[in-house]
Amino acid sequence: MEEVVIRLNQKNHGAFYLMLDNEQVGEMVIGIEGGVLTAYHTEIHYTQEGKGLAKHLLDGMVAYAREHQLKVKPLCAYVHAQFKRHPEEYADVWLQEDK
C-alpha cells in the first residue's frame, strides 16, 4: 500500500516521499516560503514507472497545500503538466504568476 510522507528541514525545504511497503519508491522535491509551496522535481524509481505512482505524490502534495492554505508554484514539469491538463481540479492551489 502506498503512503505519502513529508520531511522538511528547518528552512522548510525537503520532499514528499512515496513509500510502498516501507520502501521509498518516489519523491517530490519541494520548498515552502511565504505561503507558497514550490514543487521542483518529481521522480519515481525506474522499477515503478508507468504505474501511476507520481499521481499519488501529486495528490499528497495538493492535499497538504490545501490543508495548510498554500499556493503551489509548479516548477516541476510533471506537476505543471498535470495542472495544465486539469486546471479545474487544481485552480484553488495553482499559483499562476503569468496571468
Side-chain angles (χ1 to χ4, degrees), residues 36-54:
V36 176
L37 186 157
T38 303
Y40 294 106
H41 179 71
T42 302
E43 189 169 337
I44 299 297
H45 192 273
Y46 73 93
T47 61
Q48 300 296 321
E49 289 177 353
K51 298 179 180 180
L53 295 178

Side-chain angles (χ1 to χ4, degrees), residues 44-75:
I44 299 297
H45 192 273
Y46 73 93
T47 61
Q48 300 296 321
E49 289 177 353
K51 298 179 180 180
L53 295 178
K55 180 73 163 76
H56 290 285
L57 278 171
L58 178 64
D59 292 346
M61 180 272 290
V62 169
Y64 183 90
R66 287 180 175 139
E67 181 181 337
H68 294 88
Q69 292 83 48
L70 300 170
K71 290 293 186 178
V72 176
K73 185 175 183 178
L75 298 183

